[in-house]
């Protein structure tokens, strides 16, 4: 019985140590969410105005450009998948991967070949385990991305849409990331980056009561679009990286809170079992003492006769 009690005590100590770790990770993730939210909010105005500027150039001229021109029969698409570098974040990365798989199936059903680009070690590991081809990948910054990271990611994608890569050009650029809605809600979404849908932008501006600005283009609309293309792709990727980082921290905080609560429940359960084992041990010791005293009393009584 004493051995069983020692087992329970060792398990309680181990679970208590784990609980301290998960609680610390929960607090760290909670503190990082606020910073990530601020970065998302700070990046939004630039991305919005840049999209409006691109739309104004495209609608105010007859320029044909990969940024805004739809291909009549698209045959190839690039998909950028954003996952995390670390685990312990619940279903954060798996949900994004599932969304990318659904997008891939949809594009394949439309007769399009898909080139995959991945951000985050979890996505790289998923595709590597299944021996699927990945055109390019980036890791090491998913929980705290910088604008320079977005520029590095955007470079090969821009080259692909401009048909400047060894693999050949693509007709569309898609991005899959986790959108931060609230502390409790994060949704894996896919969006088409290029070609930019002018109708959708115009409808959104009308819904918000905004008026697209008027510009004079120097030296030409084509040159302006050439200059705006990398900025637009970089800003979209940077905003997606920031939203994904905020979602990752929120998912990790929620997962660590659940782990901490489960550890607390397990400690209570083990404590009850340990108390029951201790009580049984004490009862057994008392029974042995009483039995020994009774046997001694009987032996003494026998010798007196």
């Amino acid at each position: 019985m004493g051995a069983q009690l020692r087992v329970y005590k060792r398990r309680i100590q181990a679970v208590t140590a784990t609980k301290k770790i998960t609680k610390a990770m929960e607090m760290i993730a909670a503190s990082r969410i606020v910073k990530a939210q601020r970065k998302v909010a700070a990046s939004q105005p630039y991305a919005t105005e840049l999209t409006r500027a691109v739309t104004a150039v495209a609608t105010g001229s007859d320029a044909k450009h990969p940024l805004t021109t739809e291909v009549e029969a698209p045959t190839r698409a690039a998909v950028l998948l954003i996952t995390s570098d670390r685990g312990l974040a619940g279903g954060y990365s798996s949900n994004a991967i599932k969304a990318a798989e659904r997008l891939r199936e949809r594009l394949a059903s439309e007769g399009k070949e898909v080139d995959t680009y991945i951000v985050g070690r979890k996505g790289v590991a998923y595709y590597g385990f299944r021996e699927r081809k990945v055109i390019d990948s980036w890791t090491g910054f998913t929980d705290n991305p910088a604008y320079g990271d977005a520029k590095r990611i955007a470079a090969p994608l821009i080259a692909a849409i401009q048909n400047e890569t060894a693999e050949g050009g693509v007709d569309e650029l898609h991005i899959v990331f986790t959108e931060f809605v609230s502390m409790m809600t994060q949704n894996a979404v896919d969006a088409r980056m290029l070609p930019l849908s002018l109708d959708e932008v115009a409808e959104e501006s009308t819904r918000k009561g905004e008026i697209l600005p008027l510009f004079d283009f120097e030296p030409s609309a084509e040159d302006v679009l050439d200059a705006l293309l990398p900025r637009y792709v970089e800003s979209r990727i940077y905003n997606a990286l920031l939203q994904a980082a905020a979602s990752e921290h929120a998912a990790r905080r929620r997962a660590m809170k659940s782990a901490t609560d489960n550890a607390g429940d397990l400690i209570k359960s083990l404590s009850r079992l340990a108390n029951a084992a201790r009580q049984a041990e004490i009862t057994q010791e008392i029974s042995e003492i009483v039995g020994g005293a009774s046997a001694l009393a009987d032996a003494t009584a026998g010798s007196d006769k």
Side-chain angles (χ1 to χ4, degrees), residues 169-243:
V170 298
D171 303 315
E172 298 176 354
L173 290 182
H174 297 260
I175 185 170
V176 179
F177 66 100
T178 305
E179 180 184 27
F180 182 86
V181 180
S182 66
M183 295 283 285
M184 298 302 297
T185 305
Q186 302 87 42
N187 299 324
V189 299
D190 65 85
R192 193 180 74 170
M193 285 193 293
L194 295 178
L196 177 64
S197 178
L198 301 179
D199 293 337
E200 292 180 3
V201 176
E203 288 177 5
E204 184 176 358
S205 298
T206 302
R207 187 168 58 253
K208 294 180 179 179
E210 298 175 345
I211 299 176
L212 290 175
L214 298 177
F215 295 99
D216 292 328
F217 311 126
E218 292 290 344
S220 66
E222 290 84 353
D223 292 333
V224 172
L225 288 174
D226 285 338
L228 290 178
L229 173 60
R231 303 292 177 267
Y232 172 76
V233 176
E234 290 165 8
S235 67
R236 286 290 300 270
I237 293 175
Y238 183 53
N239 183 263
L241 288 173
L242 293 177
Q243 292 211 47

Side-chain angles (χ1 to χ4, degrees), residues 27-247:
M27 296 175 66
I28 292 172
S31 66
R32 290 178 176 175
I33 293 174
V34 178
K35 296 179 181 179
Q37 283 181 286
R38 290 174 181 170
K39 289 184 177 181
V40 172
S43 70
Q44 198 65 45
Y46 175 77
T48 300
E49 290 302 319
L50 185 58
T51 303
R52 293 179 67 206
V54 171
T55 305
V57 176
T59 55
S61 69
D62 297 328
K64 299 296 182 181
H65 196 275
L67 188 63
T68 57
T69 303
E70 294 277 356
V71 178
E72 292 185 3
T75 59
R76 196 169 187 179
V79 175
L80 174 63
L81 168 62
I82 299 178
T83 61
S84 66
D85 286 321
R86 299 186 295 128
L88 300 178
Y92 166 77
S93 291
S94 62
N95 290 336
I97 292 172
K98 290 177 182 177
E101 290 293 282
R102 290 192 295 269
L103 174 61
R104 183 186 184 89
E105 291 176 0
R106 191 181 81 230
L107 294 174
S109 67
E110 296 172 358
K112 300 171 185 174
E113 184 182 351
V114 179
D115 289 349
T116 304
Y117 298 78
I118 300 178
V119 175
R121 292 189 177 93
K122 291 298 179 179
V124 172
Y126 177 88
Y127 278 76
F129 179 77
R130 287 159 180 79
E131 297 182 350
R132 294 185 182 178
K133 182 180 179 181
V134 175
I135 304 301
D136 207 345
S137 62
W138 303 266
T139 60
F141 54 83
T142 59
D143 60 344
N144 187 26
Y147 193 81
D149 300 318
K151 292 184 68 174
R152 288 193 294 115
I153 297 169
L157 293 173
I158 294 171
I161 197 68
Q162 292 180 330
N163 197 14
E164 298 175 354
T165 62
E167 293 81 7
V170 298
D171 303 315
E172 298 176 354
L173 290 182
H174 297 260
I175 185 170
V176 179
F177 66 100
T178 305
E179 180 184 27
F180 182 86
V181 180
S182 66
M183 295 283 285
M184 298 302 297
T185 305
Q186 302 87 42
N187 299 324
V189 299
D190 65 85
R192 193 180 74 170
M193 285 193 293
L194 295 178
L196 177 64
S197 178
L198 301 179
D199 293 337
E200 292 180 3
V201 176
E203 288 177 5
E204 184 176 358
S205 298
T206 302
R207 187 168 58 253
K208 294 180 179 179
E210 298 175 345
I211 299 176
L212 290 175
L214 298 177
F215 295 99
D216 292 328
F217 311 126
E218 292 290 344
S220 66
E222 290 84 353
D223 292 333
V224 172
L225 288 174
D226 285 338
L228 290 178
L229 173 60
R231 303 292 177 267
Y232 172 76
V233 176
E234 290 165 8
S235 67
R236 286 290 300 270
I237 293 175
Y238 183 53
N239 183 263
L241 288 173
L242 293 177
Q243 292 211 47
S247 299

